[in-house]
Amino acid sequence: GVREMKKETSKEIFLSEGENIIWSGKPKKFAFIATKSLIMMPIAIAWLALDSSLIGASIAEGELLWFLIPFFTLHMMPVWIWLANVITANRRWKNTNYFITNRRIIIQGGFFAVNEASLFYKDLRNAQMKIGLLDKLFHTGDILFDSNQKEAGFAFEDLTNYDEVYSLVQKIIIDIQTDIEYPNAFRPEHN
């Protein structure tokens, strides 16, 4: 059908004809940035400490500096990846938006460009609420969506109203299941 573009919370979203937004939101800013910054920090710090001591010992002995500098530049890749996560977290938060429509679940995100991924209800198998250690600290929660079509990691992360959104998603799943089990004439009075 004809696609219609709507501005929702200052973000463009493309909707099919007859598709309506039921809910939209974003992750909690501080929680999102902190989570992205903390997730690899212990590994990066340990890696940096190890490589720093090895670099220091090598410089003190004057060994093959022409070889060691390029080697350690590559060897410190976990540190560079962690730094990239820290530096880009705010921009990725700005580009992250979550939508629930009457037809699908949509996640927008990215750094340079905004990517949009959809999970249609016909492909949705289950939804789970997850409240991890950092979520407890920041008073947020995650909703994980399980599907045959999507890779792991399709989730609404760091929501402050995770319980309300989870209830909405569960209601949608129950309504869809009811439609499958009680089609048309077999449908009960209250759906």
Side-chain angles (χ1 to χ4, degrees):
V2 176
R3 293 178 62 87
E4 153 187 359
M5 184 172 61
K6 288 193 177 181
K7 282 271 211 188
E8 182 74 22
T9 61
S10 303
K11 305 297 176 206
E12 292 180 2
I13 181 169
F14 294 93
L15 300 174
S16 304
E17 192 174 313
E19 186 175 19
N20 300 308
I21 296 171
I22 298 170
W23 176 88
S24 66
K26 290 182 76 62
K28 183 177 182 180
K29 184 176 185 175
F30 182 75
F32 183 87
I33 292 171
T35 301
K36 300 301 181 206
S37 300
L38 293 173
I39 203 146
M40 268 185 67
M41 186 167 44
I43 294 168
I45 289 172
W47 205 277
L48 181 60
L50 174 69
D51 279 4
S52 296
S53 65
L54 293 173
I55 290 169
S58 298
I59 289 173
E61 293 181 21
E63 293 182 15
L64 305 171
L65 290 178
W66 61 270
F67 170 75
L68 293 177
I69 292 171
F71 172 76
F72 280 110
T73 301
L74 287 174
H75 193 263
M76 288 180 52
M77 195 58 67
V79 176
W80 307 137
I81 292 170
W82 173 72
L83 279 174
N85 279 337
V86 171
I87 292 168
T88 63
N90 187 56
R91 176 66 179 199
R92 286 184 288 135
W93 173 82
K94 285 181 182 177
N95 290 340
T96 300
N97 297 288
Y98 305 134
F99 300 93
I100 297 175
T101 74
N102 58 326
R103 296 187 180 161
R104 59 191 167 133
I105 295 165
I106 303 166
I107 298 176
Q108 290 179 334
F111 177 67
F112 291 114
V114 177
N115 303 313
E116 187 174 294
S118 296
L119 175 59
F120 287 89
Y121 295 131
K122 68 180 182 67
D123 298 322
L124 180 63
R125 285 193 320 190
N126 192 19
Q128 300 174 34
M129 184 168 44
K130 182 186 125 227
I131 303 169
L133 182 61
L134 291 175
D135 290 314
K136 287 180 183 178
L137 182 67
F138 299 126
H139 306 289
T140 59
D142 303 335
I143 301 173
L144 313 173
F145 300 100
D146 188 21
S147 164
N148 291 329
Q149 306 298 317
K150 293 287 177 195
E151 67 284 343
F154 197 83
F156 289 174
E157 297 176 318
D158 302 315
L159 293 177
T160 53
N161 59 340
Y162 57 90
D163 49 349
E164 296 168 21
V165 177
Y166 183 69
S167 293
L168 175 63
V169 170
Q170 288 300 322
K171 181 185 178 324
I172 290 169
I173 291 171
I174 288 169
D175 288 349
I176 290 168
Q177 197 60 38
T178 302
D179 287 346
I180 291 169
E181 291 177 16
Y182 301 102
N184 303 326
F186 301 111
R187 187 169 294 154
E189 289 294 317
H190 300 294
N191 192 2

